[in-house]
Amino acid sequence: MALTTLKVKNAKPGRHVDGRGLCLLVKDSGARTWVLRMQRNGRRRDYGLGSALEVSLAEARDAAAALRRQVREGTDPVAERRKARKVMPSFETAARDCYDALKEGWKNRRYANWISSFENHVFPLIGTKPVDQVDSVCVVEVLSPIWLEIPETARRLLQRIGSVLDFAHIKGWREEEASLRSVRKGLPRQTGKSVHLEAMPYADVPALMEALAAASPTTGRDALRFTIYNAVRSNETRFAVWTEFDLDKAIWTIPGERMKAKETHIVPLSAPAVALLRRRWNERANDTGLVFSADGEKAMSDMTMTKLLRDGGIKGVTVHGFRSAFTDWAAEKTDFPKEVADKALAHKLTNQVEAAYRRTDFLEKRRDLMARWARHLDGIAHHTAEAAGEPIPARAAA
């Protein structure tokens, strides 16, 4: 016979059947629990429905009916409950866990930049998104800005994102393995031809520099100005540490492991670049950490400088493109030989014989060249001297 409210209240220890698998379990201690017993895929399972002190007979019957309906529709109620209780990590957390799990097995140290490629291009866009919600549409969104601009990096990122999603599946964060085969269909065909990064005309760069200098100083604005003053790559600025600089001699020595050509590069610093660094030295987090960082430890995202351009209404132009602006300016507005400008950009000589015999780095000529470039950049309004600070001590000098 079906249970009644009175029977539930007065039930003795044991199992009391209401019907269609719904039972009231009463323990010797007096604890009363609702349980629904059902068959699923040939196996008998008991599903707890809560305490009879909190769930009435009518509520237990409604819950049992809902569970039976889920099972008929092919849903596993236990798995759904586990999923609801599970804390889903973000894509960035999953990527870092994946990197930590795999990196020890990598023999080729080129893969040391594995996580930095995510920091530069992926985390700013989908880093906070739960990893189980990252799909092909998200991946296309990430890769679209760089698919033709830096095709090799984009292809590597596609593969690495796939590895992260596979790792998330193994960890139980995604129910199914990810298929990214459709991603390429949503992106233009890579022709294999080199794509030139769009650059701002050199005549327009001084106006940008004036706007950056007039705005409130931030780490991103300082980094962008410093990158343009020195015509360096953004990564060379982002990962610069105080021990690479000798401001008394106005020299920046970038170690070979941080350079694209894997050769040490000495940058003669112009007066505005030194003034900018002296101000940041007074605000430093420590004497040996990253120059363009809030805490001296975590590098700023590569997207930070690009975002400054976009927020200023400058579309299409890339940070790397300011190197092209420098090259055009040097060719059209100065008499410096091309090899001096090439050396300023840390370009390697393509002629191996010439490279073997040419040992000079044109340091003094490059110092004059960079001073002229700084005067061009500050040409609209004379450079306002930034607060002079103490010289960098010997222990923090390159």
Side-chain angles (χ1 to χ4, degrees):
M1 295 179 63
L3 295 175
T4 64
T5 302
L6 185 60
K7 287 181 180 180
V8 171
K9 180 180 179 180
N10 297 325
K12 303 298 183 183
R15 180 185 290 267
H16 304 271
V17 178
D18 180 62
R20 298 189 64 191
L22 179 62
C23 303
L24 173 68
L25 297 183
V26 182
K27 296 184 178 180
D28 292 336
S29 62
R32 299 159 184 269
T33 306
W34 295 110
V35 174
L36 176 65
R37 173 167 290 182
M38 283 191 299
Q39 291 263 356
R40 184 176 186 275
N41 296 331
R43 293 179 57 192
R44 188 175 68 183
R45 301 184 67 172
D46 287 349
Y47 300 91
L49 301 179
S51 168
L53 298 178
E54 299 175 354
V55 179
S56 68
L57 174 60
E59 290 171 336
R61 288 170 175 168
D62 288 343
L67 274 177
R68 293 189 197 99
R69 186 163 52 251
Q70 282 184 280
V71 172
R72 284 198 305 269
E73 294 172 353
T75 302
D76 183 351
V78 174
E80 289 299 313
R81 288 181 182 179
R82 288 174 182 166
K83 183 178 179 181
R85 291 196 299 266
K86 188 185 302 180
V87 177
M88 187 60 60
S90 67
F91 180 83
E92 179 172 352
T93 298
R96 294 189 183 279
D97 287 352
C98 177
Y99 175 69
D100 289 338
L102 300 179
K103 65 181 180 181
E104 295 302 323
W106 290 334
K107 295 180 180 179
N108 192 330
R109 300 313 300 168
R110 287 192 300 112
Y111 290 108
N113 71 350
W114 199 90
I115 201 67
S116 66
S117 65
F118 280 92
E119 292 171 340
N120 292 341
H121 305 291
V122 182
F123 294 160
L125 296 175
I126 62 170
T128 59
K129 199 175 188 69
V131 70
D132 65 330
Q133 295 181 22
V134 174
D135 54 17
S136 297
V137 176
C138 297
V139 179
V140 170
E141 177 188 353
V142 168
L143 298 181
S144 292
I146 61 173
W147 188 249
L148 296 180
E149 187 175 285
I150 41 177
E152 184 177 355
T153 299
R155 289 194 298 270
R156 288 177 180 173
L157 271 174
L158 175 57
Q159 181 181 12
R160 292 168 183 175
I161 290 172
S163 297
V164 172
L165 298 183
D166 287 343
F167 177 81
H169 171 64
I170 293 171
K171 297 291 286 186
W173 298 329
R174 294 176 64 95
E175 290 188 6
E176 300 178 355
E177 292 187 59
S179 175
L180 300 181
R181 287 176 294 181
S182 61
V183 168
R184 289 178 180 266
K185 296 180 181 178
L187 295 166
R189 180 172 174 269
Q190 292 178 335
T191 62
K193 298 179 181 179
S194 59
V195 178
H196 296 288
L197 304 181
E198 189 169 347
M200 177 180 288
Y202 65 82
D204 295 341
V205 183
L208 170 65
M209 294 293 277
E210 182 185 32
L212 292 171
S216 300
T218 64
T219 299
R221 290 192 182 99
D222 284 350
L224 182 55
R225 291 176 62 206
F226 186 77
T227 299
I228 297 172
Y229 273 130
N230 295 292
V232 293
R233 299 176 180 90
S234 60
N235 279 354
E236 292 157 13
T237 294
R238 291 173 53 240
F239 294 100
V241 294
W242 285 114
T243 51
E244 296 173 359
F245 294 92
D246 184 336
L247 296 194
D248 291 335
K249 296 180 180 178
I251 289 292
W252 176 21
T253 303
I254 310 176
E257 59 266 24
R258 291 213 305 109
M259 295 298 299
K260 183 177 181 180
K262 302 305 178 186
E263 294 180 358
T264 299
H265 181 51
I266 298 176
V267 180
L269 299 170
S270 62
V274 171
L276 186 153
L277 288 173
R278 287 195 184 279
R279 174 172 55 77
R280 292 201 64 83
W281 171 255
N282 289 336
E283 302 166 358
R284 69 194 181 281
N286 57 64
D287 292 359
T288 59
L290 294 166
V291 176
F292 298 98
S293 168
D295 58 5
E297 296 180 2
K298 185 176 180 180
M300 62 183 290
S301 167
D302 194 32
M303 296 297 291
T304 300
M305 288 186 270
T306 300
K307 187 175 184 299
L308 281 170
L309 298 175
R310 302 297 175 262
D311 289 347
I314 302 171
K315 306 298 183 184
V317 171
T318 63
V319 175
H320 194 88
F322 290 108
R323 287 164 58 85
S324 295
F326 168 79
T327 300
D328 293 343
W329 168 84
E332 296 188 17
K333 293 295 183 179
T334 78
D335 294 327
F336 285 92
K338 180 179 181 300
E339 54 264 31
V340 175
D342 284 344
K343 196 67 178 181
L345 295 168
H347 285 167
K348 295 189 71 173
L349 290 172
T350 55
N351 188 312
Q352 297 301 314
V353 175
E354 184 180 1
Y357 283 95
R358 178 167 288 162
R359 304 298 175 87
T360 181
D361 63 0
F362 302 111
L363 180 60
E364 292 309 314
K365 288 186 177 181
R366 286 193 290 122
R367 188 179 293 282
D368 291 341
L369 176 63
M370 301 317 292
R372 289 268 300 275
W373 173 239
R375 288 197 294 272
H376 165 72
L377 296 175
D378 294 343
I380 288 182
H382 291 295
H383 179 73
T384 301
E386 300 187 65
E390 61 192 76
I392 290 185
R395 60 190 169 88

